[in-house]
Amino acid sequence: MCCSVKSRMHRQTAWLLTILIILGGNLGIHTASAQEAGRIEIIEINSTDFPTLRVQFEAFDAQNQFVQGLQPGQVRAIEDGQVRQSSALELLQPGVHFIVAYNLSPELSNHQAGVSHYEAMQSALLAWAQTQPAETSDQFSLAANTGMQLIRSEDPREWAAALAGYQPNLLAETPNLNSLTRAVDLAIDANSGSQRKNTVLFITPLIFSWNQEAVTNLTERAANQGIRINIWLVASETASVSSPQIVQSLESLAAQTGGQLFLFSGQTELPNVEFYLQPLRYLYRADFESQAKTTGTHEIQLEIEREGVRLTSNSKPVDIHVEPPNPIFLSPPTLIERKWIKEEGQKDSQLQPGSALVHIVVEFPDGHERSLKSSRLYVDGALAAENGAAPFDEFTWDLSSYTSDGRHMLRVEVEDSLGLVKSSIETPVDLTVEPQKTLPLNALLTSERLLTLGGILAAGLVLALALILSGRQSRSRRQGRLRRANADPLTQPVPARIEPPSQPRKSAAVSSAERTTVPRRPAAEFASAKAWLVRIVENGADATVAARLETTPPVTSAIPLIRRETTIGSDPRRALYRLDSATVSGLHARILLTPEGDYRILDSGSVAGTWVNYGPVPSQGLLLKHGDLVQIGREMFRFQLAQPPEQKPPDIEIIEDQP
């Protein structure tokens, strides 16, 4: 009784499965996977043009068909949880690499209405090939049990000829997975450096059960590489009942790679190949402006809202390297002289120049050049000029308020489109102001000034005349008193005895003519040095006397580099050469003489830093070249070699005119 019930249930199940297979055969296609609304797949995120991120993606509807007609406003990116609207959207058509893989066997020679299964499938493929344009971005390959028959042809007619010319002996073929393995290998190799999608049409009979493990491995490889596999399974309509495990493994192969399985018994019409290829022919590329401000991995998602349906992709990481922009002064002025100049048409002289142009360059250490929001010039810590729009690399420094000599420190600051801010090092600029000149005579002799001068002269003449008359009366009275005194004998003068003068004593002090000038002790080490750091003074030229440079030997205009290690700082107990400056640390910098005869400068952990040609000295030091500008704190020097390298003149080639 029990066995009878089980047997009846088995027959009913088989009958139901047979009906389903027949219905599936009539429909022709088994859908591998379907979602209620569709899906989005991110293919690639390109950050080469950061902050612009270019995201390539595919969008499919519930029927697994490619969604066309998307607009930029319908696509958004979610970067680290923040929404970024698409700035550009482009539909691409990179093409498809279509591979037909034949697993030949005697089953393919079975006839239906006088036509073998192999001939029926070959005719369907050739009919599709005739509809393809001669010039296409697609590629075509053909694989069989014995090997590749055609590899990546870009001419559909060539592929059709190879397909039509391939006439194997089906009765002598043994089914295996060689053709599918070769097709997957070729597709993986074709993926390198190409945007083409790879899809395989696997034409096969039922495979042997011992091949199921190989099918599982091929499924995993194809799914990981994005290779879609569609299958034409040549078998009877009851294959799912007679060989359920084999059919299930092939269905899993198609489903997990995004493909479909079609059961061909010879009684149904084969599907159009274009139905497989159309979803793969297109690709979207959307541009977004990233707001990432830190180096590292950032998560990107895509979101599409269309016709009331919202789709969201899975999160995909992208590595971004970002650093603040680096502003650098471009040939900054070292000395500005303001002089009194009277220009044509002006009544009075004016101090000129009234302003100075300051130029900078902006580098992007991360390699991602981007727009700037602002640039600011600071003088002695106060904002002197600001640019809120291009050009950002030029400032006009107003000099009208500077009326006395002085040294001023310039610093520039820039802010990029991401809001990242960075400042340059401070650069000293010496400003001299010419004393105001006295007015010339022709400037004094104006009509108004002549009247004033005439009045002053007249008053002076009257005063002088009164003084002269008063003086004459006083002199006449004195002469009268003198005559009366000479007549009185009691008031006559008695002559005094005049002694001969004694010999004068020689002064202990030595006259300037007799004083011996003590010569400065010669610096032998300076003369024998092969290189020096020469001090730069106010006018920007190399100095002859360094007013603030103190060394253990006498003060000179340069630091001779004659030792294997020359130390420079503000503390004489730690440095061989001392710089008296608040910006110089106790032990500020070292200059090493390498075994090759080069000179390497290193910063010794100073506060203000050591700079060469307005760039900071790296931790491993920097080799100095003849003419380099060296800044130790705010003290400026120029590196000079006793025997600088000879500059080779440029080669000039004369090219005669051709007739």
Side-chain angles (χ1 to χ4, degrees):
M1 180 69 177
C2 178
C3 294
S4 177
V5 172
K6 290 183 178 179
S7 177
R8 187 165 58 254
M9 292 177 62
H10 178 74
R11 287 196 301 272
Q12 291 175 350
T13 302
W15 181 78
L16 289 173
L17 289 174
T18 301
I19 293 176
L20 291 175
I21 293 297
I22 294 174
L23 290 174
N26 291 332
L27 293 174
I29 297 174
H30 297 271
T31 301
S33 62
Q35 301 178 1
E36 293 183 359
R39 71 184 192 279
I40 307 173
E41 293 182 5
I42 297 178
I43 307 301
E44 181 185 40
I45 303 176
N46 190 329
S47 61
T48 303
D49 297 326
F50 179 85
T52 299
L53 297 181
R54 290 189 165 86
V55 183
Q56 294 183 359
F57 69 96
E58 295 174 315
F60 299 95
D61 59 17
Q63 287 73 40
N64 204 33
Q65 295 300 302
F66 189 86
V67 176
Q68 299 192 43
L70 286 178
Q71 300 300 317
Q74 298 173 328
V75 182
R76 295 182 293 271
I78 304 174
E79 179 185 44
D80 298 330
Q82 300 297 319
V83 176
R84 316 290 183 210
Q85 192 64 44
S86 172
S87 59
L89 183 66
E90 183 178 1
L91 180 64
L92 307 177
Q93 191 171 352
V96 178
H97 181 202
F98 179 46
I99 308 171
V100 172
Y102 274 124
N103 181 18
L104 301 175
S105 69
E107 285 85 348
L108 270 67
S109 64
N110 293 338
H111 286 70
Q112 185 72 31
V115 178
S116 68
H117 295 340
Y118 177 81
E119 292 172 341
M121 292 183 292
Q122 188 181 51
S123 297
L125 292 172
L126 290 174
W128 168 82
Q130 292 175 357
T131 64
Q132 301 306 299
E135 295 183 1
T136 176
S137 56
D138 295 339
Q139 289 183 344
F140 309 90
S141 299
L142 179 62
N145 299 35
T146 55
M148 299 300 302
Q149 307 300 312
L150 187 66
I151 297 177
R152 287 197 287 268
S153 173
E154 296 184 354
D155 187 352
R157 293 169 298 183
E158 181 184 14
W159 181 80
L163 187 68
Y166 184 59
Q167 299 293 332
N169 183 4
L170 298 175
L171 297 178
E173 296 286 350
T174 300
N176 53 58
L177 296 177
N178 291 344
S179 62
L180 180 59
T181 302
R182 292 188 178 96
V184 171
D185 290 341
L186 179 63
I188 292 175
D189 180 64
N191 268 343
S192 177
S194 174
Q195 292 183 339
R196 289 189 182 91
K197 293 297 185 65
N198 293 275
T199 182
V200 178
L201 176 58
F202 184 43
I203 300 175
T204 180
L206 290 172
I207 59 176
F208 296 113
S209 58
W210 59 77
N211 288 326
Q212 292 184 24
E213 183 177 354
V215 170
T216 302
N217 293 335
L218 287 171
T219 301
E220 183 177 354
R221 292 182 62 200
N224 290 337
Q225 294 294 326
I227 302 169
R228 183 172 295 189
I229 298 178
N230 297 286
I231 301 174
W232 285 357
L233 177 60
V234 180
S236 65
E237 296 174 349
T238 60
S240 297
V241 178
S242 60
S243 304
Q245 292 183 348
I246 297 176
V247 174
Q248 184 178 3
S249 65
L250 292 176
E251 286 181 336
S252 177
L253 170 62
Q256 293 187 37
T257 60
Q260 299 172 344
L261 183 143
F262 177 81
L263 182 64
F264 179 61
S265 62
Q267 299 179 355
T268 56
E269 183 179 356
L270 289 163
N272 190 342
V273 175
E274 189 64 26
F275 182 83
Y276 299 137
L277 302 187
Q278 190 273 340
L280 306 179
R281 291 190 181 279
Y282 303 100
L283 191 69
Y284 281 111
R285 183 178 69 192
D287 291 353
F288 304 92
E289 295 304 314
S290 172
Q291 294 298 316
K293 296 179 176 61
T294 58
T295 296
T297 301
H298 299 264
E299 297 294 329
I300 304 295
Q301 286 181 288
L302 285 185
E303 186 178 82
I304 295 176
E305 188 168 359
R306 180 173 180 265
E307 297 178 354
V309 177
R310 178 178 295 180
L311 303 177
T312 303
S313 72
N314 293 331
S315 178
K316 189 176 182 67
V318 57
D319 291 329
I320 297 175
H321 177 64
V322 57
E323 294 183 34
N326 184 34
I328 302 174
F329 283 103
L330 181 63
S331 301
T334 57
L335 176 66
I336 299 177
E337 297 178 322
R338 300 196 73 199
K339 297 182 179 181
W340 291 96
I341 299 175
K342 181 179 180 182
E343 297 182 354
E344 184 178 356
Q346 290 184 344
K347 182 178 179 180
D348 298 319
S349 298
Q350 302 290 334
L351 272 175
Q352 298 293 343
S355 61
L357 288 180
V358 179
H359 297 273
I360 65 170
V361 292
V362 180
E363 295 179 343
F364 291 88
D366 54 19
H368 302 304
E369 186 171 352
R370 48 195 177 271
S371 59
L372 298 178
K373 290 174 60 177
S374 63
S375 59
R376 294 174 282 273
L377 174 67
Y378 292 88
V379 179
D380 299 328
L383 182 63
E386 183 174 9
N387 294 320
F392 295 98
D393 57 355
E394 181 179 290
F395 299 93
T396 300
W397 178 18
D398 185 9
L399 303 175
S400 60
S401 61
Y402 297 91
T403 57
S404 59
D405 297 352
R407 169 169 286 191
H408 303 278
M409 305 305 297
L410 271 61
R411 176 175 61 88
V412 69
E413 179 182 88
V414 295
E415 180 180 0
D416 65 9
S417 57
L418 297 175
L420 300 177
V421 180
K422 190 174 182 181
S423 295
S424 69
I425 64 170
E426 286 192 326
T427 297
V429 176
D430 292 323
L431 184 67
T432 62
V433 180
E434 181 185 29
Q436 188 170 9
K437 298 178 181 179
T438 57
L439 294 175
L441 183 60
N442 57 355
L444 291 173
L445 298 179
T446 61
S447 58
E448 296 177 355
R449 289 173 179 172
L450 283 175
L451 291 175
T452 304
L453 183 59
I456 294 174
L457 290 176
L461 289 175
V462 172
L463 179 60
L465 182 59
L467 291 175
I468 292 173
L469 294 176
S470 176
R472 287 182 178 179
Q473 293 176 358
S474 298
R475 186 164 54 253
S476 177
R477 287 195 294 269
R478 284 198 303 272
Q479 289 176 354
R481 287 195 299 269
L482 182 59
R483 285 194 298 269
R484 289 193 296 271
N486 289 338
D488 190 351
L490 295 177
T491 59
Q492 299 304 309
V494 179
R497 183 180 177 182
I498 300 176
E499 296 290 340
S502 60
Q503 185 70 21
R505 297 178 59 187
K506 187 173 182 180
S507 173
V510 181
S511 66
S512 60
E514 294 173 331
R515 188 179 298 119
T516 303
T517 302
V518 181
R520 196 181 191 127
R521 182 160 57 91
E525 59 181 13
F526 182 85
S528 62
K530 295 183 179 180
W532 307 272
L533 283 184
V534 181
R535 185 68 173 278
I536 296 179
V537 293
E538 296 180 350
N539 59 1
D542 294 345
T544 57
V545 177
R548 300 172 65 188
L549 175 65
E550 298 183 9
T551 65
T552 301
V555 177
T556 66
S557 63
I559 299 177
L561 305 178
I562 62 173
R563 295 172 175 78
R564 291 189 178 275
E565 181 179 10
T566 301
T567 55
I568 303 171
S570 61
D571 188 350
R573 295 170 297 181
R574 303 175 62 191
L576 180 62
Y577 292 92
R578 185 167 74 90
L579 296 178
D580 185 12
S581 173
T583 63
V584 177
S585 300
L587 178 58
H588 195 107
R590 297 181 298 137
I591 300 179
L592 305 179
L593 177 60
T594 67
E596 294 80 11
D598 297 322
Y599 293 87
R600 180 181 295 276
I601 186 168
L602 300 99
D603 185 79
S604 297
S606 66
V607 176
T610 304
W611 308 79
V612 175
N613 296 329
Y614 300 103
V617 173
S619 58
Q620 70 273 19
L622 187 69
L623 290 178
L624 293 174
K625 300 186 293 297
H626 180 72
D628 280 351
L629 187 65
V630 179
Q631 185 171 346
I632 301 175
R634 293 182 179 176
E635 306 304 317
M636 307 291 290
F637 298 87
R638 191 178 302 282
F639 176 74
Q640 292 188 0
L641 294 171
Q643 295 182 352
E646 181 181 356
Q647 295 184 353
K648 183 179 178 181
D651 296 332
I652 300 176
E653 180 181 359
I654 300 177
I655 302 177
E656 297 181 356
D657 295 337
Q658 298 296 328

